[in-house]
Amino acid sequence: MVDVAVILGALAALIALAYRGVSLLLLAPALAVLSVAITGDGPIFATYTQVFMRAMGGFVIQYFPLFLLGAVFGKLMAASGSAAALAQAIIARLGTRRAVLAVILSCAVMTYGGVSLFVVAFAVYPIAAALFRAGDLPKVLIPGAIALGAFTFTMTALPGTPAIQNAIPMPYFGTTPFAAPGLGLIAGAVMLLGGWLWLEYRLRRLGPGYGTFDDAEAGLPQTALPSLGVAGLPLVMVIVLNLVFTFAVIPGMDTGYLAQSEYGDTDIGQLRGIWSIIAALCLSSLGLIALNAGRLWDTLAATLEDGAQDALMPMFNTASLVGFGAVIAALEAFGLIRDWVVGFGGDNPLIGLALSTSLLAGITGSASGGMSIALATLGPAYLDMAQAVGIDPALLHRVTAVATGGLDALPHNGAVITLLTICGLSHREAYGDIAVVAVVIPVAALVVLVALGTVFGSF
């Protein structure tokens, strides 16, 4: 039990110190090595180089293209004015009476199209602030509206989303981004409707009054923006090309060579989803540049560089958490925790998978980091259990993805801290609404998903 306490203490320290701004690049390996030193479960240097770094490097090798291309695409959307044009178009059609819904949908359209949630927060906030001021609506609801549109249903539930949370399960379960589409749509509807109704309720309770503001919130962007068609086409391309490559192009390719050792001794079922998103984001980025050549040409090199740089910190923070998880998973005491979690759902692996993924996402404050730890340590066991009872791996994929999108948004989450900073609000002022729309309601959606999946299977 002492070694179990060491693991729990390391996880608690990870939360507390990350919340205080300590870099995960330093924190994750330090706590991993310290845990090994205290428990005496292995040699310290070998654990760092052969366990932590191998797991961290493996994650980078597999997923860096998605982080890189997603960040570049998002930067191009912002630099071309496409992000602002889309947000303004939605807001113009809904007006100030539906300001909350306008902000939610603005974020949802962009994140579902592949724009990074960090980019969305920066792009939408000035427009949301102007809209809320025009309607004299309380500013404290803006973070909740942005979080609902960017951090929830488009990140984990909607089929086909290019979010990394929807990509990570694919090689583990041999699935595609469109796994369990019907269940994903239902879970997404629970999140969207539940969160929207909560924010509308809060709007009525708070009444009019925007609050204090500064010059940066004075109005909408005044620069020339692309038309709605030009702004929206790259997002449509991401979704359509993802479908085309997933179900038409890649299945028709001769990929037998993947079984050779130099190509990883694998098969196309493990790679189809990742290849599809890579192709979709590459072609959509090229299309975006072509459509906005006049707006982007003078700053194209700088925009691409900024996008590449934006990918590095999220990539390596998440990879560091994966390395930390690999070390913790190698400790003998983790076996006790794993057996408890796996056994929690009894004969239903969906319950254990949902619980373990949710807890690890909450502990690490990262949806992708928690998911990666859960799948790396428990994924094969859950897949075997599911196949033994006839559960479609597509259902495991959707449960895993949705399970990451609840407890991950606890106060120490990096996206939450960034969003509140952008909005100029504190946790005390605005986190309560974020907690409801990004934690409580997504957990409820997960319960609905597991219940429906248990009764009806994958659809």
Side-chain angles (χ1 to χ4, degrees):
M1 292 302 294
V2 174
D3 288 353
V4 172
V6 171
I7 292 177
L8 297 178
L11 296 175
L14 183 69
I15 294 174
L17 294 175
Y19 181 81
R20 287 164 174 76
V22 179
S23 171
L24 288 173
L25 295 178
L26 299 173
L27 185 59
L31 289 174
V33 169
L34 182 61
S35 299
V36 171
I38 295 174
T39 60
D41 277 355
I44 292 176
F45 288 108
T47 297
Y48 176 66
T49 60
Q50 306 305 112
V51 180
F52 182 95
M53 289 305 302
R54 281 178 181 268
M56 180 178 178
F59 184 86
V60 172
I61 289 171
Q62 190 159 26
Y63 295 110
F64 182 68
L66 302 189
F67 278 82
L68 175 65
L69 294 172
V72 168
F73 181 79
K75 205 70 176 181
L76 289 170
M77 284 290 293
S80 66
S82 298
L86 286 170
Q88 287 196 44
I90 294 174
I91 288 170
R93 283 156 177 75
L94 294 176
T96 57
R97 295 185 61 185
R98 288 288 180 264
V100 170
L101 182 60
V103 173
I104 294 168
L105 294 181
S106 299
C107 296
V109 168
M110 284 186 277
T111 51
Y112 192 53
V115 183
S116 164
L117 59 89
F118 292 97
V119 174
V120 169
F122 279 105
V124 171
Y125 172 67
I127 302 167
L131 181 68
F132 271 58
R133 280 192 60 212
D136 197 29
L137 307 179
K139 176 184 177 180
V140 294
L141 295 181
I142 293 178
I146 293 176
L148 175 56
F151 299 0
T152 61
F153 60 98
T154 56
M155 184 179 78
T156 64
L158 296 190
T161 176
I164 190 69
Q165 291 79 9
N166 194 40
I168 292 174
M170 295 189 297
Y172 290 96
F173 301 133
T175 49
T176 76
F178 301 91
L183 289 170
L185 289 172
I186 292 172
V190 171
M191 296 182 209
L192 171 58
L193 294 176
W196 178 36
L197 290 174
W198 170 260
L199 291 174
E200 290 290 344
Y201 162 76
R202 287 279 292 150
L203 187 61
R204 293 191 298 271
R205 286 291 302 272
L206 291 172
Y210 179 80
T212 59
F213 64 92
D214 55 38
D215 292 340
E217 304 170 31
L220 295 171
Q222 299 301 312
T223 56
L225 299 178
S227 66
L228 180 60
V230 170
L233 183 57
L235 301 183
V236 175
M237 288 178 63
V238 171
I239 298 168
V240 172
L241 289 172
N242 193 356
L243 278 167
V244 170
F245 276 91
T246 297
F247 295 111
V249 176
I250 293 178
M253 296 168 57
D254 180 10
T255 57
Y257 58 85
L258 291 174
Q260 300 174 21
S261 58
E262 58 263 43
Y263 296 110
D265 191 20
T266 185
D267 60 70
I268 193 58
Q270 304 296 312
L271 297 173
R272 180 173 57 164
I274 293 176
W275 285 10
S276 297
I277 295 179
I278 290 174
L281 286 173
C282 279
L283 293 176
S284 299
S285 295
L286 292 174
L288 198 163
I289 293 171
L291 289 168
N292 296 277
R295 282 176 286 270
L296 288 172
W297 189 254
D298 291 340
T299 60
L300 181 58
T303 300
L304 295 175
E305 175 67 19
D306 289 344
Q309 291 295 326
D310 286 350
L312 297 180
M313 188 56 70
M315 173 81 255
F316 282 96
N317 278 341
T318 302
S320 292
L321 292 172
V322 172
F324 172 82
V327 172
I328 295 298
L331 300 178
E332 291 184 10
F334 185 80
L336 300 176
I337 300 175
R338 180 190 59 213
D339 292 343
W340 177 82
V341 171
V342 172
F344 186 84
D347 294 331
N348 187 347
L350 299 179
I351 297 176
L353 179 61
L355 176 65
S356 60
T357 305
S358 294
L359 289 176
L360 287 168
I363 286 167
T364 60
S366 167
S368 54
M371 173 192 288
S372 298
I373 294 171
L375 290 178
T377 57
L378 303 171
Y382 283 122
L383 182 59
D384 291 342
M385 292 171 62
Q387 291 175 335
V389 296
I391 293 177
D392 189 341
L395 181 54
L396 296 181
H397 175 130
R398 190 55 56 205
V399 168
T400 305
V402 172
T404 65
L407 298 184
D408 71 308
L410 291 174
H412 62 291
N413 175 267
V416 169
I417 295 171
T418 300
L419 174 59
L420 291 173
T421 302
I422 292 170
C423 296
L425 296 167
S426 67
H427 278 77
R428 178 174 295 181
E429 291 173 308
Y431 180 73
D433 293 310
I434 295 176
V436 173
V437 303
V439 179
V440 176
I441 293 175
V443 169
L446 175 62
V447 172
V448 172
L449 172 60
V450 171
L452 291 175
T454 299
V455 176
F456 300 105
S458 179
F459 61 89

